[in-house]
Protein backbone atom coordinates (compact mmCIF):
# COMPACT_ATOMS: atom_id res chain seq x y z
CA UNK A 1 0.00 0.00 0.00
CA UNK A 2 1.22 3.52 -0.78
CA UNK A 3 2.58 5.01 2.47
CA UNK A 4 0.81 8.33 1.98
CA UNK A 5 -2.52 6.61 1.22
CA UNK A 6 -2.09 4.36 4.30
CA UNK A 7 -1.39 7.36 6.51
CA UNK A 8 -4.48 9.17 5.17
CA UNK A 9 -6.73 6.14 5.79
CA UNK A 10 -5.25 5.71 9.28
CA UNK A 11 -6.06 9.32 10.18
CA UNK A 12 -9.65 8.90 8.98
CA UNK A 13 -10.10 5.63 10.91
CA UNK A 14 -8.70 7.08 14.12
CA UNK A 15 -10.78 10.23 13.84
CA UNK A 16 -13.93 8.18 13.32
CA UNK A 17 -13.11 5.89 16.25
CA UNK A 18 -12.40 8.86 18.51
CA UNK A 19 -15.75 10.41 17.66
CA UNK A 20 -17.52 7.16 18.56
CA UNK A 21 -15.36 6.59 21.66
CA UNK A 22 -14.48 3.01 20.74
CA UNK A 23 -11.25 1.06 20.80
CA UNK A 24 -9.62 0.19 17.49
CA UNK A 25 -6.27 -1.42 16.65
CA UNK A 26 -4.86 -0.99 13.14
CA UNK A 27 -1.96 -3.25 12.17
CA UNK A 28 0.32 -2.75 9.11
CA UNK A 29 3.55 -4.76 9.24
CA UNK A 30 5.15 -3.64 12.54
CA UNK A 31 2.87 -0.62 13.05
CA UNK A 32 0.28 -0.90 15.84
CA UNK A 33 -1.93 2.08 16.64
CA UNK A 34 -4.20 2.04 19.69
CA UNK A 35 -7.02 4.49 20.17
CA UNK A 36 -8.71 4.86 23.57
CA UNK A 37 -6.60 2.29 25.41
CA UNK A 38 -8.50 2.66 28.67
CA UNK A 39 -9.89 -0.26 30.66
CA UNK A 40 -13.59 -0.89 30.22
CA UNK A 41 -13.96 -1.43 33.96
CA UNK A 42 -11.93 -0.48 37.03
CA UNK A 43 -12.53 -2.77 40.00
CA UNK A 44 -11.33 -1.50 43.36
CA UNK A 45 -11.09 -4.18 46.04
CA UNK A 46 -10.63 -3.14 49.66
CA UNK A 47 -10.14 -5.95 52.16
CA UNK A 48 -11.12 -4.71 55.60
CA UNK A 49 -8.37 -5.18 58.24
CA UNK A 50 -5.93 -6.94 55.89
CA UNK A 51 -2.35 -6.76 57.13
CA UNK A 52 0.32 -7.06 54.43
CA UNK A 53 1.75 -10.20 56.01
CA UNK A 54 -1.48 -12.09 55.32
CA UNK A 55 -0.25 -12.25 51.72
CA UNK A 56 3.04 -13.86 52.74
CA UNK A 57 2.07 -15.82 55.87
CA UNK A 58 -0.75 -17.75 54.20
CA UNK A 59 0.85 -17.88 50.74
CA UNK A 60 1.39 -21.65 50.73
CA UNK A 61 -2.36 -22.18 51.19
CA UNK A 62 -3.46 -19.87 48.36
CA UNK A 63 -4.35 -21.14 44.90
CA UNK A 64 -2.94 -19.71 41.68
CA UNK A 65 -6.06 -17.84 40.60
CA UNK A 66 -6.67 -15.36 43.45
CA UNK A 67 -4.11 -13.31 45.36
CA UNK A 68 -1.22 -15.04 43.59
CA UNK A 69 -2.66 -14.26 40.16
CA UNK A 70 -2.80 -10.60 41.08
CA UNK A 71 0.79 -10.77 42.36
CA UNK A 72 2.34 -12.87 39.59
CA UNK A 73 0.60 -11.17 36.68
CA UNK A 74 0.36 -7.69 38.19
CA UNK A 75 2.40 -5.30 40.32
CA UNK A 76 3.00 -5.76 44.05
CA UNK A 77 3.93 -2.78 46.22
CA UNK A 78 5.37 -4.55 49.27
CA UNK A 79 5.99 -1.50 51.44
CA UNK A 80 2.66 0.29 51.21
CA UNK A 81 1.40 2.27 54.22
CA UNK A 82 -1.30 4.55 55.51
CA UNK A 83 0.18 8.00 56.05
CA UNK A 84 -2.16 9.30 58.72
CA UNK A 85 -3.82 8.57 62.05
CA UNK A 86 -6.41 7.15 62.79
CA UNK A 87 -6.42 3.91 60.81
CA UNK A 88 -10.14 3.18 60.83
CA UNK A 89 -12.55 1.83 58.19
CA UNK A 90 -14.30 5.09 57.25
CA UNK A 91 -11.16 7.18 56.79
CA UNK A 92 -9.44 4.25 55.09
CA UNK A 93 -12.03 3.78 52.37
CA UNK A 94 -12.29 7.54 51.85
CA UNK A 95 -8.51 7.90 51.51
CA UNK A 96 -8.15 5.02 49.05
CA UNK A 97 -10.65 6.55 46.65
CA UNK A 98 -9.98 10.28 47.14
CA UNK A 99 -6.19 10.20 47.28
CA UNK A 100 -6.44 12.48 50.31
CA UNK A 101 -6.06 12.10 54.07
CA UNK A 102 -8.66 13.09 56.70
CA UNK A 103 -7.01 16.50 56.82
CA UNK A 104 -8.61 17.17 53.44
CA UNK A 105 -11.49 14.73 52.94
CA UNK A 106 -12.84 15.31 56.45
CA UNK A 107 -13.72 11.71 57.40
CA UNK A 108 -11.73 11.76 60.64
CA UNK A 109 -13.10 8.49 62.09
CA UNK A 110 -15.98 6.03 61.71
CA UNK A 111 -17.95 8.32 63.99
CA UNK A 112 -16.88 11.43 65.84
CA UNK A 113 -18.02 14.20 68.14
CA UNK A 114 -19.22 17.11 65.99
CA UNK A 115 -18.33 20.20 68.00
CA UNK A 116 -20.47 22.47 65.79
CA UNK A 117 -23.73 20.68 66.65
CA UNK A 118 -22.64 19.18 70.00
CA UNK A 119 -23.39 15.55 69.20
CA UNK A 120 -21.79 12.42 67.80
CA UNK A 121 -22.14 11.80 64.07
CA UNK A 122 -21.52 8.76 61.85
CA UNK A 123 -19.28 9.07 58.79
CA UNK A 124 -21.98 7.85 56.36
CA UNK A 125 -25.09 8.74 58.35
CA UNK A 126 -27.61 11.09 56.76
CA UNK A 127 -31.01 11.80 58.33
CA UNK A 128 -32.10 13.75 55.25
CA UNK A 129 -32.40 10.59 53.14
CA UNK A 130 -34.61 7.52 53.45
CA UNK A 131 -33.92 3.81 53.56
CA UNK A 132 -34.59 1.85 50.38
CA UNK A 133 -35.12 -1.90 50.64
CA UNK A 134 -35.71 -1.94 54.40
CA UNK A 135 -38.08 -0.36 56.89
CA UNK A 136 -35.25 0.15 59.36
CA UNK A 137 -33.01 3.22 59.53
CA UNK A 138 -30.06 1.21 58.19
CA UNK A 139 -30.46 2.77 54.77
CA UNK A 140 -30.20 6.39 55.89
CA UNK A 141 -26.72 6.82 54.48
CA UNK A 142 -24.88 9.04 52.01
CA UNK A 143 -21.33 10.35 51.41
CA UNK A 144 -22.25 13.93 52.37
CA UNK A 145 -19.65 14.14 55.16
CA UNK A 146 -16.82 13.30 52.73
CA UNK A 147 -15.74 16.74 51.56
CA UNK A 148 -13.79 15.84 48.42
CA UNK A 149 -14.34 13.87 45.23
CA UNK A 150 -13.26 10.29 44.60
CA UNK A 151 -11.66 9.07 41.37
CA UNK A 152 -15.04 7.46 40.64
CA UNK A 153 -16.61 10.94 40.82
CA UNK A 154 -13.98 12.31 38.48
CA UNK A 155 -14.61 9.48 36.03
CA UNK A 156 -18.32 10.26 36.08
CA UNK A 157 -17.62 13.94 35.41
CA UNK A 158 -15.13 13.13 32.64
CA UNK A 159 -17.56 10.80 30.85
CA UNK A 160 -20.51 13.20 31.20
CA UNK A 161 -22.05 10.80 33.71
CA UNK A 162 -22.00 7.94 31.17
CA UNK A 163 -19.47 5.82 33.03
CA UNK A 164 -21.26 3.92 35.79
CA UNK A 165 -20.18 3.63 39.43
CA UNK A 166 -21.48 0.90 41.74
CA UNK A 167 -20.36 0.31 45.35
CA UNK A 168 -20.83 -3.05 47.11
CA UNK A 169 -19.99 -4.01 50.71
CA UNK A 170 -21.32 -5.71 53.80
CA UNK A 171 -20.75 -2.38 55.59
CA UNK A 172 -22.60 0.76 54.53
CA UNK A 173 -19.48 2.94 54.81
CA UNK A 174 -17.52 0.40 52.76
CA UNK A 175 -19.93 0.92 49.86
CA UNK A 176 -20.95 4.57 50.25
CA UNK A 177 -17.59 6.34 50.64
CA UNK A 178 -15.72 4.58 47.78
CA UNK A 179 -18.64 5.03 45.37
CA UNK A 180 -18.48 8.78 45.98
CA UNK A 181 -20.98 11.57 45.50
CA UNK A 182 -22.11 10.84 41.95
CA UNK A 183 -22.51 7.06 42.10
CA UNK A 184 -25.33 5.30 40.30
CA UNK A 185 -25.73 3.09 43.36
CA UNK A 186 -24.16 1.83 46.56
CA UNK A 187 -25.50 -1.34 48.17
CA UNK A 188 -24.85 -2.85 51.59
CA UNK A 189 -26.10 -5.84 53.54
CA UNK A 190 -28.88 -5.63 56.10
CA UNK A 191 -28.67 -8.69 58.34
CA UNK A 192 -30.74 -9.45 61.43
CA UNK A 193 -34.01 -11.07 60.31
CA UNK A 194 -33.89 -9.60 56.80
CA UNK A 195 -30.74 -10.83 55.07
CA UNK A 196 -31.20 -8.36 52.18
CA UNK A 197 -29.18 -5.89 50.15
CA UNK A 198 -30.36 -2.33 50.67
CA UNK A 199 -29.53 1.23 49.64
CA UNK A 200 -30.54 4.84 50.21
CA UNK A 201 -32.81 7.40 48.58
CA UNK A 202 -29.61 9.38 47.97
CA UNK A 203 -29.19 7.06 44.97
CA UNK A 204 -32.71 5.93 44.08
CA UNK A 205 -36.28 5.72 45.33
CA UNK A 206 -36.73 2.02 44.71
CA UNK A 207 -34.47 -0.99 44.33
CA UNK A 208 -33.84 -2.15 40.75
CA UNK A 209 -35.76 -5.27 39.77
CA UNK A 210 -32.59 -7.36 39.68
CA UNK A 211 -31.79 -6.46 43.31
CA UNK A 212 -35.36 -7.26 44.36
CA UNK A 213 -35.05 -10.64 42.64
CA UNK A 214 -31.68 -11.26 44.25
CA UNK A 215 -33.16 -10.56 47.69
CA UNK A 216 -36.27 -12.62 46.95
CA UNK A 217 -34.15 -15.68 46.17
CA UNK A 218 -32.73 -15.59 49.72
CA UNK A 219 -29.46 -16.98 48.38
CA UNK A 220 -27.72 -15.84 51.57
CA UNK A 221 -29.57 -18.53 53.52
CA UNK A 222 -27.40 -21.24 51.96
CA UNK A 223 -24.46 -19.89 53.94
CA UNK A 224 -26.15 -20.73 57.23
CA UNK A 225 -24.27 -24.00 57.16
CA UNK A 226 -21.38 -25.47 59.10
CA UNK A 227 -18.26 -23.31 59.04
CA UNK A 228 -15.30 -25.65 59.22
CA UNK A 229 -11.77 -25.19 57.92
CA UNK A 230 -11.43 -25.57 54.16
CA UNK A 231 -8.44 -27.86 54.61
CA UNK A 232 -7.42 -30.16 57.45
CA UNK A 233 -7.01 -27.90 60.48
CA UNK A 234 -3.74 -29.63 61.35
CA UNK A 235 -2.24 -28.14 58.18
CA UNK A 236 -3.01 -24.61 59.39
CA UNK A 237 0.48 -24.23 60.83
CA UNK A 238 0.63 -20.51 60.02
CA UNK A 239 -1.72 -19.60 62.89
CA UNK A 240 -2.02 -20.32 66.60
CA UNK A 241 -3.84 -23.14 68.36
CA UNK A 242 -7.57 -23.34 67.80
CA UNK A 243 -8.37 -23.43 71.52
CA UNK A 244 -6.82 -20.51 73.40
CA UNK A 245 -7.64 -17.64 75.72
CA UNK A 246 -7.28 -14.85 73.14
CA UNK A 247 -10.47 -15.22 71.07
CA UNK A 248 -14.05 -14.07 71.52
CA UNK A 249 -16.30 -16.55 69.72
CA UNK A 250 -20.07 -16.65 69.32
CA UNK A 251 -22.92 -16.69 71.82
CA UNK A 252 -24.31 -20.16 72.23
CA UNK A 253 -20.99 -21.92 71.70
CA UNK A 254 -18.81 -22.62 74.70
CA UNK A 255 -15.47 -22.45 72.93
CA UNK A 256 -14.15 -20.40 69.99
CA UNK A 257 -13.18 -23.51 68.05
CA UNK A 258 -14.07 -25.12 64.74
CA UNK A 259 -16.57 -26.25 63.56
CA UNK A 260 -19.36 -23.67 63.90
CA UNK A 261 -22.97 -24.69 63.27
CA UNK A 262 -24.20 -21.37 61.92
CA UNK A 263 -27.84 -22.40 61.56
CA UNK A 264 -27.93 -23.31 65.26
CA UNK A 265 -26.08 -20.13 66.27
CA UNK A 266 -28.17 -17.75 64.16
CA UNK A 267 -30.85 -16.84 66.71
CA UNK A 268 -28.37 -16.09 69.49
CA UNK A 269 -26.19 -13.92 67.24
CA UNK A 270 -28.54 -11.38 65.60
CA UNK A 271 -29.85 -13.55 62.79
CA UNK A 272 -28.18 -12.98 59.43
CA UNK A 273 -25.72 -10.60 61.09
CA UNK A 274 -23.90 -13.75 62.17
CA UNK A 275 -22.74 -14.29 58.59
CA UNK A 276 -20.88 -10.98 58.63
CA UNK A 277 -18.50 -12.45 61.23
CA UNK A 278 -17.71 -15.58 59.23
CA UNK A 279 -15.80 -16.31 56.05
CA UNK A 280 -19.15 -16.62 54.24
CA UNK A 281 -19.83 -12.91 54.54
CA UNK A 282 -17.24 -12.45 51.80
CA UNK A 283 -19.03 -15.01 49.64
CA UNK A 284 -22.21 -12.93 49.91
CA UNK A 285 -20.31 -9.90 48.64
CA UNK A 286 -18.87 -11.80 45.68
CA UNK A 287 -22.32 -13.16 44.78
CA UNK A 288 -23.79 -9.67 44.72
CA UNK A 289 -20.82 -8.08 42.92
CA UNK A 290 -21.05 -10.68 40.16
CA UNK A 291 -24.78 -10.02 39.84
CA UNK A 292 -24.09 -6.28 39.61
CA UNK A 293 -21.53 -6.79 36.83
CA UNK A 294 -24.08 -8.74 34.81
CA UNK A 295 -27.24 -6.77 35.51
CA UNK A 296 -25.68 -3.30 35.31
CA UNK A 297 -23.75 -4.28 32.15
CA UNK A 298 -20.50 -3.03 33.69
CA UNK A 299 -17.56 -2.94 31.29
CA UNK A 300 -19.75 -3.62 28.25
CA UNK A 301 -18.74 -0.56 26.24
CA UNK A 302 -15.68 1.65 25.76
CA UNK A 303 -16.74 4.11 28.46
CA UNK A 304 -14.98 3.14 31.68
CA UNK A 305 -17.15 1.99 34.59
CA UNK A 306 -16.10 1.64 38.23
CA UNK A 307 -17.01 -1.17 40.61
CA UNK A 308 -15.99 -0.60 44.24
CA UNK A 309 -15.98 -3.84 46.23
CA UNK A 310 -15.20 -3.98 49.94
CA UNK A 311 -14.83 -7.30 51.75
CA UNK A 312 -15.77 -6.51 55.35
CA UNK A 313 -16.05 -9.92 56.99
CA UNK A 314 -12.29 -10.08 57.39
CA UNK A 315 -12.62 -7.17 59.83
CA UNK A 316 -15.44 -8.76 61.82
CA UNK A 317 -13.52 -12.04 62.09
CA UNK A 318 -10.33 -10.23 63.09
CA UNK A 319 -12.05 -8.22 65.79
CA UNK A 320 -13.66 -11.35 67.19
CA UNK A 321 -10.87 -13.91 66.95
CA UNK A 322 -7.63 -11.97 66.54
CA UNK A 323 -4.76 -11.74 64.09
CA UNK A 324 -3.24 -15.12 64.94
CA UNK A 325 -6.42 -17.21 64.91
CA UNK A 326 -7.32 -20.25 62.85
CA UNK A 327 -10.53 -18.38 61.97
CA UNK A 328 -8.61 -15.53 60.36
CA UNK A 329 -6.45 -17.96 58.40
CA UNK A 330 -9.45 -19.88 57.09
CA UNK A 331 -11.21 -16.62 56.21
CA UNK A 332 -8.27 -15.55 54.03
CA UNK A 333 -7.92 -18.97 52.42
CA UNK A 334 -11.59 -18.77 51.48
CA UNK A 335 -11.30 -15.10 50.43
CA UNK A 336 -8.57 -16.17 48.02
CA UNK A 337 -11.17 -18.39 46.33
CA UNK A 338 -13.63 -15.47 46.24
CA UNK A 339 -11.04 -13.24 44.53
CA UNK A 340 -10.46 -16.01 42.00
CA UNK A 341 -14.20 -16.36 41.42
CA UNK A 342 -14.54 -12.61 40.84
CA UNK A 343 -11.57 -12.50 38.44
CA UNK A 344 -12.90 -15.44 36.46
CA UNK A 345 -16.25 -13.70 36.10
CA UNK A 346 -14.52 -10.51 34.95
CA UNK A 347 -12.60 -12.55 32.35
CA UNK A 348 -15.90 -13.83 30.97
CA UNK A 349 -18.13 -10.77 31.30
CA UNK A 350 -15.64 -7.99 30.50
CA UNK A 351 -12.80 -9.90 28.83
CA UNK A 352 -9.23 -10.73 29.76
CA UNK A 353 -7.02 -7.68 29.42
CA UNK A 354 -10.01 -5.33 29.26
CA UNK A 355 -10.31 -4.44 32.96
CA UNK A 356 -8.04 -3.12 35.70
CA UNK A 357 -8.06 -4.21 39.34
CA UNK A 358 -6.40 -2.83 42.43
CA UNK A 359 -6.49 -4.54 45.81
CA UNK A 360 -5.62 -2.92 49.11
CA UNK A 361 -6.93 -2.61 52.69
CA UNK A 362 -8.41 0.13 54.84
CA UNK A 363 -6.09 -0.64 57.79
CA UNK A 364 -4.24 -3.50 59.46
CA UNK A 365 -4.56 -4.80 63.02
CA UNK A 366 -2.57 -5.43 66.18
CA UNK A 367 -1.93 -8.88 67.59
CA UNK A 368 -4.07 -9.53 70.68
CA UNK A 369 -2.14 -7.79 73.48
CA UNK A 370 -2.80 -10.62 75.95
CA UNK A 371 -1.19 -12.99 73.43
CA UNK A 372 1.78 -10.65 72.99
CA UNK A 373 2.19 -10.58 76.77
CA UNK A 374 2.28 -14.38 76.80
CA UNK A 375 5.37 -14.30 74.54
CA UNK A 376 7.03 -11.44 76.46
CA UNK A 377 6.29 -8.62 74.00
CA UNK A 378 5.29 -5.30 75.64
CA UNK A 379 1.55 -4.75 75.15
CA UNK A 380 -1.57 -4.18 77.19
CA UNK A 381 -4.90 -2.50 77.79
CA UNK A 382 -5.66 1.11 78.64
CA UNK A 383 -7.34 1.95 81.92
CA UNK A 384 -9.68 4.67 80.67
CA UNK A 385 -11.61 4.92 83.94
CA UNK A 386 -8.42 5.67 85.84
CA UNK A 387 -7.34 8.27 83.30
CA UNK A 388 -10.76 9.95 83.41
CA UNK A 389 -10.60 10.11 87.21
CA UNK A 390 -7.11 11.61 87.13
CA UNK A 391 -8.09 14.24 84.56
CA UNK A 392 -11.23 15.17 86.50
CA UNK A 393 -9.20 15.71 89.68
CA UNK A 394 -6.70 17.86 87.77
CA UNK A 395 -9.40 20.07 86.24
CA UNK A 396 -11.13 20.61 89.58
CA UNK A 397 -7.85 21.38 91.34
CA UNK A 398 -6.55 23.70 88.63
CA UNK A 399 -9.68 25.41 87.31
CA UNK A 400 -12.35 24.62 89.88
CA UNK A 401 -14.58 22.90 87.30
CA UNK A 402 -14.89 19.82 85.09
CA UNK A 403 -16.91 21.67 82.45
CA UNK A 404 -13.84 22.51 80.39
CA UNK A 405 -13.92 19.09 78.68
CA UNK A 406 -16.81 18.52 76.31
CA UNK A 407 -15.97 15.10 74.91
CA UNK A 408 -13.27 12.42 74.88
CA UNK A 409 -13.29 10.04 71.89
CA UNK A 410 -11.04 8.62 69.16
CA UNK A 411 -7.98 9.39 71.32
CA UNK A 412 -8.88 13.08 71.27
CA UNK A 413 -10.05 15.54 73.89
CA UNK A 414 -12.58 18.18 72.83
CA UNK A 415 -12.64 21.26 75.04
CA UNK A 416 -15.66 23.39 75.87
CA UNK A 417 -14.62 26.56 74.11
CA UNK A 418 -17.74 28.44 75.16
CA UNK A 419 -16.97 27.77 78.84
CA UNK A 420 -13.34 28.73 78.33
CA UNK A 421 -14.42 32.07 76.89
CA UNK A 422 -16.88 32.62 79.75
CA UNK A 423 -14.11 32.05 82.29
CA UNK A 424 -11.78 34.34 80.29
CA UNK A 425 -9.17 31.61 80.00
CA UNK A 426 -6.66 31.19 77.19
CA UNK A 427 -7.39 28.19 74.94
CA UNK A 428 -3.79 27.36 74.05
CA UNK A 429 -2.72 27.62 77.71
CA UNK A 430 -5.38 25.09 78.73
CA UNK A 431 -4.41 22.77 75.91
CA UNK A 432 -0.79 22.79 77.03
CA UNK A 433 -1.71 22.39 80.69
CA UNK A 434 -3.78 19.29 79.95
CA UNK A 435 -1.01 17.88 77.73
CA UNK A 436 1.52 18.34 80.51
CA UNK A 437 -0.88 16.54 82.86
CA UNK A 438 -1.86 13.54 80.72
CA UNK A 439 1.67 12.87 79.48
CA UNK A 440 2.33 11.58 83.01
CA UNK A 441 -0.48 9.00 82.78
CA UNK A 442 0.18 5.32 82.27
CA UNK A 443 0.85 4.32 78.65
CA UNK A 444 0.45 7.82 77.19
CA UNK A 445 3.40 8.13 74.81
CA UNK A 446 2.80 11.53 73.21
CA UNK A 447 0.20 14.29 73.14
CA UNK A 448 -0.18 17.31 70.91
CA UNK A 449 -2.54 20.26 70.81
CA UNK A 450 -4.71 21.49 67.97
CA UNK A 451 -2.75 24.72 68.15
CA UNK A 452 0.47 22.83 67.44
CA UNK A 453 -1.15 20.88 64.62
CA UNK A 454 -2.39 24.14 63.05
CA UNK A 455 0.81 26.15 63.41
CA UNK A 456 3.66 23.66 63.00
CA UNK A 457 4.53 21.75 59.84
CA UNK A 458 5.86 18.24 60.43
CA UNK A 459 7.75 16.36 57.73
CA UNK A 460 8.25 12.91 59.26
CA UNK A 461 7.41 10.60 62.15
CA UNK A 462 4.23 9.98 64.08
CA UNK A 463 3.70 13.75 64.21
CA UNK A 464 3.29 13.90 60.42
CA UNK A 465 0.73 11.08 60.55
CA UNK A 466 -1.20 12.95 63.25
CA UNK A 467 -1.14 16.12 61.18
CA UNK A 468 -2.35 14.32 58.05
CA UNK A 469 -5.29 13.02 60.08
CA UNK A 470 -6.02 16.36 61.72
CA UNK A 471 -8.93 18.31 60.29
CA UNK A 472 -8.93 21.77 61.83
CA UNK A 473 -12.71 22.09 61.82
CA UNK A 474 -13.58 18.57 62.96
CA UNK A 475 -10.73 17.25 65.10
CA UNK A 476 -10.28 17.69 68.84
CA UNK A 477 -8.15 20.08 70.89
CA UNK A 478 -5.73 17.44 72.14
CA UNK A 479 -4.52 14.37 70.24
CA UNK A 480 -3.12 11.42 72.19
CA UNK A 481 -0.68 8.69 71.14
CA UNK A 482 -0.43 5.59 73.32
CA UNK A 483 2.39 3.10 73.79
CA UNK A 484 2.78 0.46 71.04
CA UNK A 485 0.26 -2.40 71.27
CA UNK A 486 -1.69 -0.76 74.13
CA UNK A 487 -5.34 -0.58 73.15
CA UNK A 488 -8.74 0.40 74.46
CA UNK A 489 -10.50 -2.90 73.78
CA UNK A 490 -11.60 -6.17 75.32
CA UNK A 491 -9.06 -8.85 76.22
CA UNK A 492 -9.96 -11.05 73.26
CA UNK A 493 -9.72 -10.23 69.57
CA UNK A 494 -7.81 -7.58 67.62
CA UNK A 495 -8.37 -3.92 66.84
CA UNK A 496 -6.66 -1.05 65.01
CA UNK A 497 -6.35 2.72 64.78
CA UNK A 498 -2.71 3.58 65.47
CA UNK A 499 0.07 4.90 63.24
CA UNK A 500 2.29 1.91 63.92
CA UNK A 501 3.32 -0.59 61.25
CA UNK A 502 0.85 -3.29 62.32
CA UNK A 503 -1.96 -0.85 61.47
CA UNK A 504 -0.42 1.05 58.53
CA UNK A 505 1.29 -1.68 56.46
CA UNK A 506 -1.27 -3.07 54.00
CA UNK A 507 -1.23 -4.73 50.56
CA UNK A 508 -1.30 -2.77 47.33
CA UNK A 509 -1.69 -4.86 44.17
CA UNK A 510 -2.45 -3.63 40.66
CA UNK A 511 -3.50 -5.98 37.88
CA UNK A 512 -4.89 -5.96 34.36
CA UNK A 513 -5.10 -3.50 31.51
CA UNK A 514 -2.39 -0.85 31.50
CA UNK A 515 -0.50 -2.42 34.41
CA UNK A 516 3.12 -3.56 34.36
CA UNK A 517 4.24 -6.82 35.93
CA UNK A 518 6.67 -6.47 38.82
CA UNK A 519 7.14 -5.52 42.43
CA UNK A 520 8.76 -2.85 44.56
CA UNK A 521 10.02 -2.38 48.10
CA UNK A 522 9.98 1.41 47.75
CA UNK A 523 7.67 2.98 50.31
CA UNK A 524 4.30 3.99 48.90
CA UNK A 525 1.24 5.48 50.55
CA UNK A 526 -2.44 4.78 50.32
CA UNK A 527 -3.11 8.24 48.89
CA UNK A 528 -1.25 7.31 45.69
CA UNK A 529 -3.91 4.85 44.53
CA UNK A 530 -6.53 7.35 43.33
CA UNK A 531 -4.03 9.53 41.40
CA UNK A 532 -2.62 6.37 39.77
CA UNK A 533 -6.04 5.23 38.57
CA UNK A 534 -6.83 8.80 37.47
CA UNK A 535 -3.61 8.95 35.45
CA UNK A 536 -4.38 5.56 33.92
CA UNK A 537 -7.81 6.82 32.83
CA UNK A 538 -6.55 10.24 31.72
CA UNK A 539 -9.01 12.03 34.00
CA UNK A 540 -8.66 14.77 36.60
CA UNK A 541 -7.28 13.79 39.96
CA UNK A 542 -9.80 13.90 42.84
CA UNK A 543 -10.07 17.52 43.91
CA UNK A 544 -8.44 17.06 47.32
CA UNK A 545 -5.84 14.46 46.35
CA UNK A 546 -2.36 14.92 47.77
CA UNK A 547 -0.77 11.67 46.56
CA UNK A 548 1.30 11.30 43.40
CA UNK A 549 0.76 8.63 40.71
CA UNK A 550 2.81 5.44 40.89
CA UNK A 551 4.49 5.79 37.51
CA UNK A 552 6.29 2.43 37.56
CA UNK A 553 3.04 0.48 37.72
CA UNK A 554 1.63 1.85 34.47
CA UNK A 555 2.39 0.24 31.14
Amino acid sequence: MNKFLYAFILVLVCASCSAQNVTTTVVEKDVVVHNNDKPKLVVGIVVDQMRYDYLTRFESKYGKGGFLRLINEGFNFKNNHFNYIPTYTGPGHASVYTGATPKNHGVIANSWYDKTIDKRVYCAGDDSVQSVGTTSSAGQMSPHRMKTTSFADENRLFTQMKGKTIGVSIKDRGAVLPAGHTANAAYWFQGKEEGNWITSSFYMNDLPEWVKEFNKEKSVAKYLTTWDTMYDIDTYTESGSDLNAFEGGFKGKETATFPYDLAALKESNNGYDLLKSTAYGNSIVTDFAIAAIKEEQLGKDAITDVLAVSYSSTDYVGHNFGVNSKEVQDTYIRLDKEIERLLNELDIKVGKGQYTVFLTADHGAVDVPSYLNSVNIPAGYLDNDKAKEQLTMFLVKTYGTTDLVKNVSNNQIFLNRTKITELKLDLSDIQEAIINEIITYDNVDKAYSATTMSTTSFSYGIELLLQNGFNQKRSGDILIIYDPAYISYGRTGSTHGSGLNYDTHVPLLFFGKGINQGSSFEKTTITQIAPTISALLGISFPNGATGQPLIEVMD
Side-chain angles (χ1 to χ4, degrees), residues 50-340:
M50 185 176 185
R51 293 161 50 118
Y52 177 81
D53 66 349
Y54 289 160
L55 281 180
T56 54
R57 182 148 62 98
F58 305 143
E59 182 178 2
S60 64
K61 300 296 190 295
Y62 293 147
K64 295 181 179 179
F67 290 123
L68 295 184
R69 181 182 176 191
L70 296 177
I71 291 171
N72 294 330
E73 298 180 26
F75 204 100
N76 181 9
F77 289 99
K78 300 179 180 182
N79 191 20
N80 182 63
H81 290 261
F82 278 89
N83 59 341
Y84 64 83
I85 297 170
T87 44
Y88 295 148
T89 297
H93 283 78
S95 295
V96 167
Y97 281 82
T98 65
T101 69
K103 178 179 181 178
N104 287 338
H105 63 58
V107 182
I108 64 170
N110 291 335
S111 59
W112 62 88
Y113 171 71
D114 188 328
K115 50 196 174 186
T116 62
I117 59 175
D118 191 25
K119 72 175 187 178
R120 197 168 183 85
V121 297
Y122 177 56
C123 63
D126 189 347
D127 291 339
S128 72
V129 299
Q130 302 302 313
S131 298
V132 175
T134 178
T135 57
S136 76
S137 61
Q140 291 186 278
M141 305 291 164
S142 84
H144 75 110
R145 288 194 170 92
M146 188 170 75
K147 299 169 67 175
T148 59
T149 61
S150 68
F151 77 77
D153 287 322
E154 296 298 337
N155 185 62
R156 291 274 286 160
L157 293 171
F158 184 85
T159 62
Q160 301 301 311
M161 301 297 171
K162 296 173 184 174
K164 282 188 176 182
T165 298
I166 306 290
V168 178
S169 178
I170 288 283
K171 293 182 180 178
D172 47 55
R173 57 186 180 271
V176 169
L177 299 177
H181 302 276
T182 60
N184 300 83
Y187 301 103
W188 51 98
F189 185 69
Q190 170 65 358
K192 298 184 179 177
E193 297 307 313
E194 296 179 54
N196 288 331
W197 287 88
I198 66 171
T199 190
S200 156
S201 63
F202 179 83
Y203 307 99
M204 62 192 72
N205 293 320
D206 194 17
L207 289 174
E209 287 302 316
W210 72 266
V211 178
K212 291 180 181 178
E213 286 300 315
F214 190 97
N215 287 337
K216 193 181 298 182
E217 290 171 4
K218 284 297 177 188
S219 59
V220 298
K222 69 187 176 192
Y223 295 114
L224 288 170
T225 182
T226 298
W227 179 22
D228 206 347
T229 54
M230 175 167 280
Y231 306 123
D232 185 342
I233 195 169
D234 291 335
T235 67
Y236 282 30
T237 56
E238 298 81 9
S239 50
S241 60
D242 193 28
L243 180 61
N244 60 72
F246 314 120
E247 302 175 12
F250 297 119
K251 294 178 181 178
K253 192 173 191 302
E254 188 174 341
T255 60
T257 56
F258 283 106
Y260 296 93
D261 184 345
L262 301 183
L265 294 170
K266 177 188 174 187
E267 295 307 315
S268 300
N269 294 272
N270 295 317
Y272 285 108
D273 277 347
L274 171 65
L275 292 175
K276 297 178 181 180
S277 298
T278 75
Y280 299 125
N282 294 326
S283 303
I284 295 169
V285 171
T286 306
D287 290 344
F288 193 80
I290 288 173
I293 293 168
K294 176 186 176 182
E295 301 296 339
E296 296 290 345
Q297 295 289 291
L298 299 180
K300 284 298 185 181
D301 57 30
I303 302 174
T304 303
D305 299 320
V306 175
L307 174 63
V309 180
S310 179
Y311 287 104
S312 306
S313 291
T314 43
D315 184 68
Y316 288 110
V317 174
H319 276 294
N320 191 356
F321 296 97
V323 165
N324 201 44
S325 65
K326 289 281 191 282
E327 288 80 2
V328 159
Q329 179 167 4
D330 191 68
T331 296
Y332 276 90
I333 290 171
R334 291 177 181 275
L335 176 60
D336 179 59
K337 300 300 183 185
E338 296 303 320
I339 300 294
E340 180 176 5

